[in-house]
Amino acid sequence: MKFIELTKERHSVRSYTARPVEQEKLDYILECARLAPSAVNKQPWKFMVVQSPEGKSKICQCYAREWMAEAPLYIIVCAVADEAWTRRYDGKNHADIDAAIATEHICLAAADQGLGTCWVCNFDTTLIRQLFPFEPDTYPVAIIPIGYPDETDRPEAKRKPMDEIVTYL
Ligand SMILES: Cc1cc2nc3c(=O)[nH]c(=O)nc-3n(C[C@H](O)[C@H](O)[C@H](O)COP(=O)(O)O)c2cc1C
């Protein structure tokens, strides 16, 4: 698949079948996350794969949506602030940026494997820390449900026109 086709194929999936995700596909997705670039190659990330019934129930407490419960598994993408590169000019810690790149690798790799995903950031940040084992310097950036899409139609991806977002200087 050409990259433009893959970017069009990836979209937020909010309806999943019960079909389990094959371990080879999960391995492929995690490998694509592992290979993501990061500032000064610090790789300040951890990935929690949640697929046990107990773990899934905890995820659905943190982000209580009916469609979320359908997904057969989730990856919690975590940033490790103390491992990340910090820019000396303004002290900006790049953990979030690095974790976001890895997250999008996960979403694109899943789409490449015929799987659906959805970035989820609107979760209960206090509860997730209580329910999952985070080190003090590690925090969740996104929860990504992964599964086979159960979609009859797909909403059109609305994007701003090119002339609104690009400036040639
Ligand atoms: C950083 C980020 C956070 C998001 N958080 C949520 C979320 O909590 N719940 C949700 O349903 N979608 C969430 N989304 C999905 C966006 O709504 C979606 O990507 C956007 O509307 C564009 O649609 P598309 O992904 O189908 O192209 C998030 C996306 C990003 C990039």
Side-chain angles (χ1 to χ4, degrees):
M1 209 186 313
K2 282 192 172 246
F3 188 68
I4 186 73
E5 289 162 6
L6 183 59
T7 57
K8 287 178 180 171
E9 181 57 29
R10 186 226 55 84
H11 63 285
S12 294
V13 172
R14 298 186 180 89
S15 185
Y16 297 93
T17 70
R19 179 177 164 189
V21 173
E22 298 83 349
Q23 186 63 46
E24 314 85 76
K25 292 194 172 184
L26 178 57
D27 291 343
Y28 178 90
I29 291 165
L30 290 168
E31 178 66 354
C32 291
R34 191 180 74 87
L35 295 175
S38 58
V40 193
N41 199 23
K42 295 283 190 180
Q43 304 162 61
W45 46 50
K46 299 279 186 209
F47 306 98
M48 291 185 200
V49 178
V50 180
Q51 49 189 359
S52 68
E54 304 75 37
K56 290 173 67 176
S57 150
K58 289 178 187 175
I59 287 281
C60 293
Q61 290 175 57
C62 300
Y63 187 70
R65 303 290 186 281
E66 270 182 38
W67 65 265
M68 188 72 169
E70 296 169 0
L73 71 89
Y74 311 90
I75 297 177
I76 308 176
V77 180
C78 310
V80 188
D82 292 356
E83 290 181 5
W85 176 69
T86 298
R87 187 165 54 200
R88 70 184 165 95
Y89 298 103
D90 59 359
K92 181 184 171 70
N93 183 295
H94 281 58
D96 269 352
I97 293 177
D98 294 336
I101 296 167
T103 306
E104 190 58 5
H105 274 213
I106 287 171
C107 295
L108 290 167
D112 180 44
Q113 296 295 298
L115 291 159
T117 57
C118 185
W119 276 75
V120 170
C121 292
N122 189 21
F123 53 83
D124 184 328
T125 52
T126 305
L127 188 59
I128 200 170
R129 289 203 84 89
Q130 290 165 3
L131 297 179
F132 291 95
F134 291 98
E135 297 296 325
D137 66 335
T138 301
Y139 61 94
V141 170
I143 303 173
I144 306 298
I146 302 179
Y148 285 93
D150 186 14
E151 295 175 324
T152 41
D153 57 348
R154 197 186 132 176
E156 185 202 345
K158 294 193 175 62
R159 294 296 189 265
K160 293 178 181 176
M162 201 68 90
D163 61 2
E164 208 180 295
I165 58 170
V166 178
T167 313
Y168 290 91
L169 302 171

